[in-house]
């Protein structure tokens, strides 16, 4: 039996191989807990969350934030990059150096090597809750098996996302998400689209409820059920 976390991976198996089962990537149940209160501020916070990686479009987010920070229409906007570099990747290291020098974009380097999983998750939940809109301009997700955890964790915290129009992301059917084709074509998106999304967020009286299908407890039940069903068929 083989568990696949995306349709693309599942389709890579021959049709006659019935033991390949599509299972969603799990998100720790704690991410579905109550949302921490955001600090009162007159400014909206837009952020990129993820590794400084070319395939994840970290440079696209960086260029977009530079444009936002120089636009008179976004005086009440803060831009953040919550990230860390590949230690042996020139693209990643060079982008980090540029971020360190930027006086407007707030670059916060993730401290993933000196914390345990629980500490990382707690910090991540507080971080997600502090942001109004996440920009995730993915070029490709094949190096993260088509399904990165970041969009799922953001969705669990009931926050808004603007991301690429990739099939593997659309297949997740997340709430509070906007798609953009331009990311995939290497173009910086229109600032008018950002303004429109922020306006929609302001007009939203309450954040939509999100589904539970990505909870670890739910995924675990599906895996156990699949194993039991498989064993019965083998008898």
């Amino acid at each position: 039996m083989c568990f696949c976390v995306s349709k693309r991976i599942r389709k890579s198996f021959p049709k006659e191989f019935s033991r390949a089962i599509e299972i969603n990537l799990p998100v720790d149940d704690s991410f579905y807990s109550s949302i921490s209160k955001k600090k009162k501020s007159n400014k909206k916070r837009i952020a990129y969350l993820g590794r400084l990686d070319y395939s994840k479009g970290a440079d696209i987010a960086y260029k977009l934030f530079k444009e936002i920070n120089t636009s008179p229409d976004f005086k009440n906007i803060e831009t953040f990059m919550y990230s860390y570099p590949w230690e042996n990747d020139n693209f990643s290291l060079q982008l980090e150096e540029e971020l360190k020098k930027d006086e407007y974009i707030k670059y916060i380097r993730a401290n993933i090597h000196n914390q345990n999983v629980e500490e990382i998750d707690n910090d991540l939940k507080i971080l997600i809750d502090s942001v109004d809109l996440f920009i995730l301009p993915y070029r490709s997700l094949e190096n993260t098996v088509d399904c990165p955890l970041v969009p799922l964790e953001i969705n669990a915290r009931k926050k808004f996302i603007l991301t690429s129009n990739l099939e593997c992301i659309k297949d997740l059917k997340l709430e509070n998400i906007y798609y953009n084709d331009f990311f995939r074509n290497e173009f910086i998106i229109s600032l008018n689209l950002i303004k429109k999304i922020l306006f929609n967020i302001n007009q939203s009286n309450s954040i939509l409820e999100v589904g539970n299908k990505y909870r670890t407890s739910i995924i675990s039940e599906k895996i156990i059920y699949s194993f039991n069903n498989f064993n019965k068929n083998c008898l």
Side-chain angles (χ1 to χ4, degrees), residues 33-87:
S33 62
S34 59
I35 310 301
S36 57
K37 292 184 179 180
K38 182 183 176 183
K39 293 181 180 179
K40 291 184 178 180
S41 173
N42 293 326
K43 294 186 176 182
K44 291 290 183 183
R45 182 172 293 187
I46 301 177
Y48 168 86
L49 176 60
R51 194 169 53 240
L52 293 178
D53 188 272
Y54 179 82
S55 65
K56 293 183 183 297
D59 58 315
I60 298 176
Y62 172 59
K63 292 174 184 176
L64 174 63
F65 291 170
K66 286 179 71 70
E67 188 174 354
I68 287 174
N69 290 331
T70 56
S71 171
D73 295 330
F74 290 88
K75 291 182 179 180
N76 292 321
I77 297 295
E78 296 177 310
T79 53
F80 285 76
M81 298 278 287
Y82 300 104
S83 190
Y84 63 95
W86 281 113
E87 295 182 358

Side-chain angles (χ1 to χ4, degrees), residues 83-146:
S83 190
Y84 63 95
W86 281 113
E87 295 182 358
N88 297 315
D89 181 71
N90 289 333
F91 168 88
S92 190
L93 294 172
Q94 183 178 348
L95 181 55
E96 183 181 46
E97 288 304 311
E98 291 183 32
L99 283 167
K100 288 178 179 178
K101 297 174 184 176
D102 196 289
E103 59 180 314
Y104 297 108
I105 300 173
K106 296 177 177 63
Y107 172 55
I108 299 178
R109 199 181 203 269
N111 185 27
I112 60 173
H113 299 298
N114 298 316
Q115 293 179 301
N116 59 42
V117 174
E118 185 176 352
E119 290 173 331
I120 292 174
D121 282 353
N122 286 336
D123 287 348
L124 183 56
K125 283 179 280 189
I126 294 172
L127 184 159
I128 292 173
D129 294 348
S130 71
V131 174
D132 296 287
L133 174 64
F134 285 92
I135 306 294
L136 306 177
Y138 300 134
R139 288 186 173 98
S140 169
L141 291 174
E142 292 186 11
N143 66 343
T144 50
V145 290
D146 293 350

